[in-house]
Amino acid sequence: MKYVRSKSWPWPVLRHGSSDYKRSEFQCAPELNKIENTTQLHLEADFYLGDRNLTDLIAKDHARYGLLVSCSTTHFRKYLECAEPRIEWYAEDGRLAGRVEITPFVVAHRRIDNFKASNWHDDYANRSFTIEPGSVLAIDLSVSYWVVAADETPISSVFQVAADENMALGAWRCDWQRDPDLVTILLHPAELERFQEARSRAAASQTAAYILNGVYLPALAWLLTEADRAELDDLSGARWFEALTAALARAECRPLGERDSDRLLDAQKILRQPFGRLPLLQHQEE
Protein backbone atom coordinates (compact mmCIF):
# COMPACT_ATOMS: atom_id res chain seq x y z
CA MET A 1 0.00 0.00 0.00
CA LYS A 2 1.18 3.54 -0.67
CA TYR A 3 -0.11 7.04 -0.10
CA VAL A 4 -2.78 7.96 -2.66
CA ARG A 5 -4.52 11.28 -2.12
CA SER A 6 -7.81 10.06 -3.59
CA LYS A 7 -7.95 6.84 -1.56
CA SER A 8 -10.60 6.62 1.14
CA TRP A 9 -11.45 4.26 4.01
CA PRO A 10 -14.77 3.40 5.68
CA TRP A 11 -13.42 4.95 8.91
CA PRO A 12 -11.46 8.16 9.55
CA VAL A 13 -7.74 7.96 8.73
CA LEU A 14 -5.24 10.61 9.80
CA ARG A 15 -3.35 11.71 6.68
CA HIS A 16 -2.07 14.67 4.72
CA GLY A 17 -4.75 16.55 2.77
CA SER A 18 -7.68 14.91 4.60
CA SER A 19 -10.19 16.50 6.96
CA ASP A 20 -10.99 13.24 8.77
CA TYR A 21 -9.11 14.53 11.82
CA LYS A 22 -9.08 18.09 13.15
CA ARG A 23 -5.98 19.66 14.78
CA SER A 24 -3.97 16.46 14.50
CA GLU A 25 -0.88 15.48 12.54
CA PHE A 26 1.05 12.34 11.69
CA GLN A 27 4.57 12.86 10.35
CA CYS A 28 7.60 10.72 9.72
CA ALA A 29 10.86 11.40 7.85
CA PRO A 30 12.61 8.07 7.16
CA GLU A 31 16.32 8.19 6.36
CA LEU A 32 18.11 5.48 4.41
CA ASN A 33 21.90 5.63 4.46
CA LYS A 34 24.73 3.40 3.34
CA ILE A 35 27.01 2.36 6.20
CA GLU A 36 30.55 3.60 5.60
CA ASN A 37 33.00 1.04 4.24
CA THR A 38 30.22 -1.53 3.75
CA THR A 39 27.43 -2.29 1.29
CA GLN A 40 24.88 -2.51 4.10
CA LEU A 41 22.05 0.01 4.44
CA HIS A 42 20.69 1.54 7.64
CA LEU A 43 17.08 2.74 7.84
CA GLU A 44 15.95 4.91 10.72
CA ALA A 45 12.69 6.77 11.20
CA ASP A 46 11.20 8.91 13.98
CA PHE A 47 7.42 9.26 14.14
CA TYR A 48 5.38 12.21 15.37
CA LEU A 49 1.75 11.43 16.17
CA GLY A 50 -0.29 14.36 17.42
CA ASP A 51 -3.60 12.65 18.19
CA ARG A 52 -4.11 11.47 21.79
CA ASN A 53 -6.68 8.83 20.86
CA LEU A 54 -4.25 7.14 18.47
CA THR A 55 -1.29 7.37 20.87
CA ASP A 56 -3.50 5.76 23.55
CA LEU A 57 -4.16 2.85 21.17
CA ILE A 58 -0.42 2.39 20.70
CA ALA A 59 0.22 2.58 24.45
CA LYS A 60 -2.33 -0.22 24.95
CA ASP A 61 -0.71 -2.25 22.12
CA HIS A 62 -3.90 -2.00 20.06
CA ALA A 63 -1.95 -0.20 17.29
CA ARG A 64 1.65 0.21 16.20
CA TYR A 65 3.85 2.45 14.10
CA GLY A 66 4.86 0.91 10.79
CA LEU A 67 7.03 1.34 7.71
CA LEU A 68 6.44 -0.38 4.38
CA VAL A 69 9.71 -0.72 2.43
CA SER A 70 9.25 -1.52 -1.26
CA CYS A 71 11.86 -2.00 -3.98
CA SER A 72 10.62 -2.86 -7.48
CA THR A 73 14.13 -3.56 -8.81
CA THR A 74 14.73 -6.48 -6.44
CA HIS A 75 11.01 -7.30 -5.94
CA PHE A 76 11.51 -6.76 -2.21
CA ARG A 77 8.77 -5.75 0.23
CA LYS A 78 9.02 -5.67 4.00
CA TYR A 79 6.74 -4.26 6.66
CA LEU A 80 8.41 -3.05 9.85
CA GLU A 81 6.43 -2.23 12.99
CA CYS A 82 7.12 -1.03 16.50
CA ALA A 83 5.24 0.22 19.56
CA GLU A 84 7.85 2.96 20.04
CA PRO A 85 7.94 6.13 17.88
CA ARG A 86 11.25 5.09 16.31
CA ILE A 87 12.16 2.29 13.93
CA GLU A 88 15.66 1.13 12.94
CA TRP A 89 16.43 -1.58 10.44
CA TYR A 90 19.50 -2.85 8.61
CA ALA A 91 19.08 -4.11 5.06
CA GLU A 92 21.27 -6.98 3.97
CA ASP A 93 23.57 -6.56 0.99
CA GLY A 94 21.64 -6.86 -2.28
CA ARG A 95 18.18 -6.51 -0.73
CA LEU A 96 17.68 -2.97 -2.02
CA ALA A 97 18.80 -1.49 -5.33
CA GLY A 98 17.45 1.24 -7.56
CA ARG A 99 14.35 3.09 -6.41
CA VAL A 100 13.22 2.33 -2.85
CA GLU A 101 9.91 3.65 -1.53
CA ILE A 102 9.20 3.96 2.20
CA THR A 103 5.68 4.65 3.49
CA PRO A 104 4.94 5.40 7.19
CA PHE A 105 1.78 4.10 8.88
CA VAL A 106 -0.09 3.65 12.11
CA VAL A 107 -1.83 0.28 11.83
CA ALA A 108 -4.22 -1.60 14.12
CA HIS A 109 -2.42 -4.45 15.88
CA ARG A 110 -5.50 -5.97 17.49
CA ARG A 111 -9.24 -5.75 16.92
CA ILE A 112 -10.56 -2.44 18.23
CA ASP A 113 -14.28 -2.36 19.10
CA ASN A 114 -16.33 0.84 19.11
CA PHE A 115 -13.37 3.08 18.31
CA LYS A 116 -14.02 6.81 18.32
CA ALA A 117 -11.74 9.86 18.53
CA SER A 118 -12.43 13.33 19.91
CA ASN A 119 -10.61 15.01 16.98
CA TRP A 120 -12.69 13.48 14.21
CA HIS A 121 -14.46 15.73 11.76
CA ASP A 122 -18.00 16.69 12.70
CA ASP A 123 -19.30 14.36 10.00
CA TYR A 124 -18.24 11.45 12.24
CA ALA A 125 -19.76 12.85 15.44
CA ASN A 126 -21.52 10.23 17.57
CA ARG A 127 -20.18 7.42 15.37
CA SER A 128 -17.86 4.55 16.23
CA PHE A 129 -16.13 1.87 14.19
CA THR A 130 -14.84 -1.65 14.63
CA ILE A 131 -11.26 -1.72 13.40
CA GLU A 132 -9.80 -5.06 12.36
CA PRO A 133 -6.10 -5.99 12.79
CA GLY A 134 -3.99 -4.68 9.92
CA SER A 135 -6.28 -1.74 9.20
CA VAL A 136 -4.71 1.66 8.51
CA LEU A 137 -5.30 4.35 11.15
CA ALA A 138 -2.79 6.92 9.87
CA ILE A 139 -0.54 7.25 6.83
CA ASP A 140 2.10 9.79 5.81
CA LEU A 141 3.54 10.71 2.41
CA SER A 142 5.89 8.13 0.89
CA VAL A 143 9.59 8.92 0.69
CA SER A 144 11.74 7.62 -2.18
CA TYR A 145 15.46 6.89 -2.23
CA TRP A 146 17.76 5.74 -5.04
CA VAL A 147 20.18 3.05 -3.95
CA VAL A 148 23.19 2.25 -6.13
CA ALA A 149 26.41 0.32 -5.69
CA ALA A 150 29.62 2.33 -5.65
CA ASP A 151 30.57 1.24 -9.18
CA GLU A 152 27.06 1.56 -10.59
CA THR A 153 26.36 5.26 -10.15
CA PRO A 154 23.50 6.24 -12.49
CA ILE A 155 24.82 8.34 -15.33
CA SER A 156 22.28 11.08 -14.51
CA SER A 157 24.35 11.76 -11.36
CA VAL A 158 27.11 13.06 -13.63
CA PHE A 159 24.85 16.01 -14.45
CA GLN A 160 23.31 18.83 -12.47
CA VAL A 161 20.87 21.51 -13.61
CA ALA A 162 21.17 25.26 -13.08
CA ALA A 163 19.54 28.48 -14.25
CA ASP A 164 21.12 30.75 -16.85
CA GLU A 165 19.34 33.94 -17.85
CA ASN A 166 21.14 33.93 -21.19
CA MET A 167 19.43 30.73 -22.28
CA ALA A 168 16.46 31.03 -24.61
CA LEU A 169 13.16 29.53 -23.57
CA GLY A 170 12.84 25.96 -24.75
CA ALA A 171 16.60 25.46 -25.11
CA TRP A 172 19.39 24.08 -22.93
CA ARG A 173 23.11 23.48 -23.17
CA CYS A 174 25.90 21.72 -21.28
CA ASP A 175 28.88 23.29 -19.50
CA TRP A 176 31.63 21.22 -17.90
CA GLN A 177 33.72 24.19 -16.75
CA ARG A 178 31.10 25.70 -14.42
CA ASP A 179 31.65 23.06 -11.70
CA PRO A 180 34.78 20.89 -11.24
CA ASP A 181 32.77 17.85 -10.16
CA LEU A 182 29.58 17.84 -12.26
CA VAL A 183 28.58 18.71 -15.80
CA THR A 184 25.94 21.44 -15.68
CA ILE A 185 22.81 21.48 -17.82
CA LEU A 186 21.80 25.14 -18.17
CA LEU A 187 18.18 26.18 -18.63
CA HIS A 188 16.25 29.43 -18.61
CA PRO A 189 15.23 30.29 -15.00
CA ALA A 190 11.55 30.12 -15.92
CA GLU A 191 11.97 26.50 -17.02
CA LEU A 192 14.33 25.24 -14.33
CA GLU A 193 11.66 24.74 -11.66
CA ARG A 194 9.34 22.95 -14.08
CA PHE A 195 12.14 20.65 -15.18
CA GLN A 196 13.09 19.81 -11.59
CA GLU A 197 9.48 19.06 -10.71
CA ALA A 198 9.08 16.80 -13.74
CA ARG A 199 12.31 15.00 -12.90
CA SER A 200 11.30 14.48 -9.25
CA ARG A 201 8.14 12.63 -10.23
CA ALA A 202 9.62 10.91 -13.26
CA ALA A 203 10.15 7.57 -11.53
CA ALA A 204 6.44 7.31 -10.77
CA SER A 205 5.21 8.30 -14.23
CA GLN A 206 6.03 7.98 -17.93
CA THR A 207 7.93 11.27 -17.77
CA ALA A 208 11.20 9.44 -17.13
CA ALA A 209 11.48 8.08 -20.69
CA TYR A 210 11.00 11.52 -22.23
CA ILE A 211 13.57 13.16 -19.95
CA LEU A 212 16.04 10.35 -20.64
CA ASN A 213 15.70 10.66 -24.42
CA GLY A 214 15.18 14.41 -24.65
CA VAL A 215 17.86 15.60 -22.23
CA TYR A 216 20.22 13.00 -20.78
CA LEU A 217 20.85 11.06 -24.00
CA PRO A 218 21.97 14.07 -26.08
CA ALA A 219 23.81 15.54 -23.06
CA LEU A 220 25.71 12.27 -22.58
CA ALA A 221 26.54 11.98 -26.28
CA TRP A 222 27.85 15.57 -26.22
CA LEU A 223 29.93 14.90 -23.11
CA LEU A 224 31.49 11.75 -24.53
CA THR A 225 32.38 13.53 -27.77
CA GLU A 226 33.89 16.55 -26.02
CA ALA A 227 35.84 14.34 -23.61
CA ASP A 228 37.39 12.48 -26.55
CA ARG A 229 38.64 15.80 -27.93
CA ALA A 230 40.07 17.07 -24.64
CA GLU A 231 43.31 16.31 -22.87
CA LEU A 232 42.46 13.46 -20.50
CA ASP A 233 45.00 14.63 -17.91
CA ASP A 234 42.99 17.84 -17.59
CA LEU A 235 39.78 15.93 -16.91
CA SER A 236 40.92 13.05 -14.71
CA GLY A 237 40.47 15.03 -11.49
CA ALA A 238 36.78 15.66 -12.12
CA ARG A 239 34.28 13.51 -10.25
CA TRP A 240 32.19 12.95 -13.38
CA PHE A 241 35.21 11.65 -15.29
CA GLU A 242 35.54 8.56 -13.07
CA ALA A 243 31.79 7.79 -13.31
CA LEU A 244 31.88 8.21 -17.08
CA THR A 245 34.92 5.97 -17.46
CA ALA A 246 33.24 3.25 -15.36
CA ALA A 247 30.01 3.55 -17.37
CA LEU A 248 31.87 3.04 -20.65
CA ALA A 249 33.62 -0.04 -19.27
CA ARG A 250 30.35 -1.58 -18.07
CA ALA A 251 28.77 -1.01 -21.48
CA GLU A 252 31.87 -2.50 -23.19
CA CYS A 253 32.52 0.70 -25.13
CA ARG A 254 35.84 2.19 -26.12
CA PRO A 255 37.52 4.27 -23.39
CA LEU A 256 37.66 8.04 -23.50
CA GLY A 257 40.23 9.56 -25.81
CA GLU A 258 39.54 7.37 -28.86
CA ARG A 259 38.23 9.88 -31.37
CA ASP A 260 36.93 7.41 -33.95
CA SER A 261 34.27 6.09 -31.53
CA ASP A 262 30.55 6.39 -32.26
CA ARG A 263 29.58 8.19 -29.08
CA LEU A 264 25.90 8.47 -29.95
CA LEU A 265 25.65 4.69 -30.00
CA ASP A 266 27.79 4.48 -26.86
CA ALA A 267 25.46 6.88 -25.05
CA GLN A 268 22.51 4.66 -25.95
CA LYS A 269 24.34 1.58 -24.65
CA ILE A 270 25.16 3.29 -21.36
CA LEU A 271 21.53 4.34 -20.92
CA ARG A 272 20.36 0.84 -21.91
CA GLN A 273 18.62 1.77 -25.16
CA PRO A 274 16.30 4.51 -23.82
CA PHE A 275 14.50 4.94 -27.16
CA GLY A 276 12.81 1.58 -26.71
CA ARG A 277 11.38 2.73 -23.37
CA LEU A 278 9.32 5.53 -24.87
CA PRO A 279 5.62 4.96 -24.02
CA LEU A 280 4.55 5.35 -27.64
CA LEU A 281 6.73 2.40 -28.67
CA GLN A 282 5.58 0.29 -25.74
CA HIS A 283 1.95 0.84 -26.71
CA GLN A 284 2.68 -0.29 -30.25
CA GLU A 285 4.15 -3.53 -28.94
CA GLU A 286 1.05 -4.41 -26.90
Side-chain angles (χ1 to χ4, degrees), residues 150-151 153-160 175-177 179-184 220 222-250 254-258 263 270:
D151 60 345
T153 303
I155 200 64
S156 60
S157 67
V158 167
F159 299 95
Q160 65 180 346
D175 185 346
W176 66 11
Q177 297 180 334
D179 188 304
D181 291 326
L182 298 170
V183 178
T184 305
L220 179 56
W222 172 88
L223 180 59
L224 290 169
T225 301
E226 292 299 309
D228 283 339
R229 296 172 179 170
E231 294 293 333
L232 296 186
D233 289 342
D234 296 336
L235 303 178
S236 59
R239 194 176 82 188
W240 60 262
F241 181 85
E242 182 179 351
L244 198 61
T245 299
L248 285 168
R250 288 196 302 271
R254 293 184 178 183
L256 293 174
E258 299 195 11
R263 292 312 189 187
I270 291 173

Side-chain angles (χ1 to χ4, degrees), residues 42-230:
H42 178 218
L43 170 63
E44 54 184 342
D46 291 299
F47 296 86
Y48 169 76
L49 181 58
D51 184 81
R52 179 177 55 81
N53 301 100
L54 293 178
T55 56
D56 285 347
L57 290 178
I58 294 174
K60 297 174 181 177
D61 202 29
H62 290 160
R64 291 183 178 178
Y65 299 101
L67 290 176
L68 179 62
V69 182
S70 303
C71 179
S72 58
T73 303
T74 59
H75 304 286
F76 177 83
R77 283 170 65 90
K78 186 176 183 65
Y79 181 70
L80 311 168
E81 65 175 11
C82 185
E84 300 297 325
R86 179 176 177 81
I87 288 179
E88 286 193 73
W89 175 66
Y90 293 87
E92 297 176 4
D93 181 27
R95 290 280 185 167
L96 303 177
R99 186 170 183 265
V100 178
E101 188 173 85
I102 304 170
T103 308
F105 291 94
V106 173
V107 174
H109 182 58
R110 306 178 190 277
R111 178 187 171 99
I112 307 170
D113 294 312
N114 301 317
F115 176 59
K116 60 174 61 177
S118 57
N119 279 337
W120 282 351
H121 189 275
D122 294 340
D123 290 345
Y124 297 105
N126 302 319
R127 296 191 62 185
S128 64
F129 297 86
T130 297
I131 308 296
E132 298 293 338
S135 299
V136 174
L137 295 170
I139 181 173
D140 196 11
L141 297 172
S142 299
V143 177
S144 295
Y145 289 90
W146 187 267
V147 178
V148 294
D151 60 345
E152 294 180 351
T153 303
I155 200 64
S156 60
S157 67
V158 167
F159 299 95
Q160 65 180 346
V161 293
D164 186 340
E165 295 182 351
N166 296 319
M167 290 302 304
L169 286 169
W172 57 269
R173 67 180 178 86
C174 291
D175 185 346
W176 66 11
Q177 297 180 334
R178 186 185 181 103
D179 188 304
D181 291 326
L182 298 170
V183 178
T184 305
I185 297 174
L186 299 170
L187 307 108
H188 190 277
E191 294 179 325
L192 176 60
E193 183 176 352
R194 284 183 290 173
F195 176 79
Q196 290 176 320
E197 180 182 355
R199 190 177 59 176
S200 68
R201 55 183 170 83
S205 68
Q206 295 180 331
T207 308
Y210 294 111
I211 292 177
L212 201 60
N213 283 275
V215 178
Y216 288 117
L217 175 59
L220 179 56
W222 172 88
L223 180 59
L224 290 169
T225 301
E226 292 299 309
D228 283 339
R229 296 172 179 170

